[in-house]
């Protein structure tokens, strides 16, 4: 596989393709795709200022969580009377929300690069308690424009335990017209005390025909890869867009070839190819997560194929070793969250395949 340059996915990397751009380069607010009546109801409440004060917005990586959060944020702040059920999407307020420039929207996130890490004393791996306390001090001030204040926590499932405990005070006493929107790919990592004080909004997966339409509009030059991308994406537009990149296409071929002959699988070689081009430990972790996501999708497809081919109930043995391998990919992802080195986690996962 040709070595590529891995770039850590930022909070908005999956969201930005869902937003349009004006001729001057400013991003426009766009309605989230395929989210149905549930989001419409919450959007209407936000326009009335009656939205519950805290939400955990959960869903797959690249599934549009950030877009949903931007939409609700704009619904809370948009001054337009054009639509009582949704933000107008074209006013100065909506444009500033879409571009991350509104003075009453405050973001807490992990470090995106070395400069961000050094300047703001952030971590690449967790959100620290000092960041939460700083956000609480900001929320104690009056809103700049007087409509509402919104605190967005990207990757809220990466809040360390002390940060989550510190956040409880704000969840219990958020202040007037103060709203908290927590983005989480793995909401189970949040403490029960967080869940008990927040509403849960799950981002719905998109239908296959919606993904095909969006890929055709956004990446027409990658049309030979669209169908595979749709199969791998499991309803996530961000994942489908990623699956069309040359790097992931090549990695997919490697994974398929490796699983076809697991007895001849070379764990060290494959792990190093998966991490080729990654520079820096945090970038390696992101590359490893992407590889494990791809591996998990391929394994899930094999299990589904076995189920579809079965005539009536099929014995569990028919899904072996696929289900065992799937469990090991999930264990490897947990290892990465525990800060086990990326190459070590991948090699241990892949080495177990040939011993099943």
């Amino acid at each position: 596989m040709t070595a590529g340059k891995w770039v850590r996915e930022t909070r908005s990397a999956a969201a930005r393709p869902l937003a349009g751009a004006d001729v001057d380069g400013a991003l426009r607010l766009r309605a989230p795709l395929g989210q149905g009546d549930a989001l419409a109801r919450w959007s209407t409440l936000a326009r009335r200022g009656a939205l519950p004060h805290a939400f955990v917005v959960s869903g797959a990586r690249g599934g549009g969580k950030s877009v949903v959060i931007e939409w609700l944020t704009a619904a809370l702040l948009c001054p337009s009377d054009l639509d009582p059920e949704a933000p107008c999407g074209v006013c100065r307020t909506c444009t500033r929300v879409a571009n991350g420039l509104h003075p009453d929207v405050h973001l807490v996130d992990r470090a995106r690069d070395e400069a961000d890490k050094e300047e703001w004393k952030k971590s690449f791996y967790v959100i620290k308690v000092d960041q939460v306390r700083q956000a609480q001090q900001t929320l104690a001030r009056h809103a700049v424009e007087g409509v509402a204040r919104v605190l967005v926590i990207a990757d809220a499932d990466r809040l360390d335990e002390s940060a989550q405990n510190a956040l409880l005070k704000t969840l219990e006493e958020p202040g007037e017209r103060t709203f908290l929107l927590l983005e989480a790919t793995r909401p189970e990592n949040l403490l029960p005390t967080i869940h008990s004080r927040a509403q849960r909004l799950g981002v719905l997966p998109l239908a296959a025909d919606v993904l095909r339409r969006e890929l055709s509009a956004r990446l027409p030059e990658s049309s030979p890869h669209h169908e595979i991308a749709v199969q791998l994406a499991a309803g996530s537009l961000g994942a489908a867009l990623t699956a069309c990149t040359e790097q992931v296409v090549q990695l997919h071929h490697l994974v398929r070839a490796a699983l076809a002959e697991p007895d001849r699988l070379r764990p060290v070689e494959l792990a190093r190819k998966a991490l080729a081009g990654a520079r820096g430990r945090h970038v390696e972790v992101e590359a490893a997560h992407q590889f494990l996501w791809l591996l998990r999708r391929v394994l899930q497809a094999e299990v589904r194929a076995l189920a579809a081919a079965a005539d009536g109930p099929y014995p569990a043995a028919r899904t072996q070793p696929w289900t065992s391998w799937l469990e090991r990919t999930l264990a490897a992802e947990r290892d990465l969250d525990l800060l086990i080195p990326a190459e070590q986690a991948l090699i241990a996962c892949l080495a177990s395949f040939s011993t099943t």
Side-chain angles (χ1 to χ4, degrees), residues 9-217:
E9 182 186 41
T10 64
R11 180 186 77 89
S12 58
R16 290 312 184 203
L18 296 175
D22 293 318
V23 291
D24 61 359
L27 296 168
R28 301 192 307 271
L29 188 75
R30 289 285 182 88
L33 296 170
Q35 295 309 302
D37 294 339
L39 180 60
R41 288 195 298 271
W42 292 126
S43 176
T44 299
L45 288 176
R47 298 293 288 134
R48 299 171 184 169
L51 193 72
H53 74 277
F55 273 89
V56 174
V57 180
S58 62
R61 184 175 181 174
K65 300 183 297 297
S66 295
V67 179
V68 168
I69 286 174
E70 285 183 352
W71 185 254
L72 289 175
T73 299
L76 286 164
L77 297 172
C78 177
S80 173
D81 295 327
L82 292 175
D83 190 341
E85 299 179 351
C88 72
V90 296
C91 68
R92 182 168 178 263
T93 294
C94 288
T95 300
R96 285 187 296 169
V97 168
N99 288 272
L101 299 174
H102 198 286
D104 290 321
V105 181
H106 309 288
L107 173 67
V108 174
D109 62 355
R110 294 180 290 149
R112 304 181 189 184
D113 50 39
E114 288 292 342
D116 196 24
K117 178 178 181 289
E118 294 302 318
E119 181 178 1
W120 300 105
K121 309 300 180 185
K122 296 179 184 178
S123 165
F124 287 117
Y125 309 107
V126 298
I127 296 173
K128 300 185 288 188
V129 65
D130 289 345
Q131 293 176 259
V132 172
R133 288 173 177 159
Q134 184 179 19
Q136 289 169 326
Q137 293 173 3
T138 301
L139 292 177
R141 308 186 191 111
H142 291 294
V144 175
E145 297 188 358
V147 178
R149 294 169 299 184
V150 182
L151 175 63
V152 175
I153 302 183
D155 299 322
D157 45 346
R158 298 296 187 92
L159 286 158
D160 66 24
E161 187 170 352
S162 58
Q164 292 192 50
N165 285 324
L167 187 63
L168 291 176
K169 180 178 180 181
T170 304
L171 288 170
E172 291 169 348
E173 301 175 7
E176 186 177 3
R177 300 283 294 170
T178 299
F179 302 89
L180 285 75
L181 302 175
L182 282 62
E183 176 195 41
T185 301
R186 296 184 179 179
E188 65 274 11
N189 289 348
L190 294 171
L191 296 173
T193 46
I194 297 285
H195 285 292
S196 66
R197 291 163 173 79
Q199 294 282 340
R200 176 81 171 267
L201 176 59
V203 176
L204 301 175
L206 299 178
D209 60 333
V210 175
L211 292 178
R212 292 187 187 99
R213 184 187 69 219
E214 294 299 316
L215 289 175
S216 295

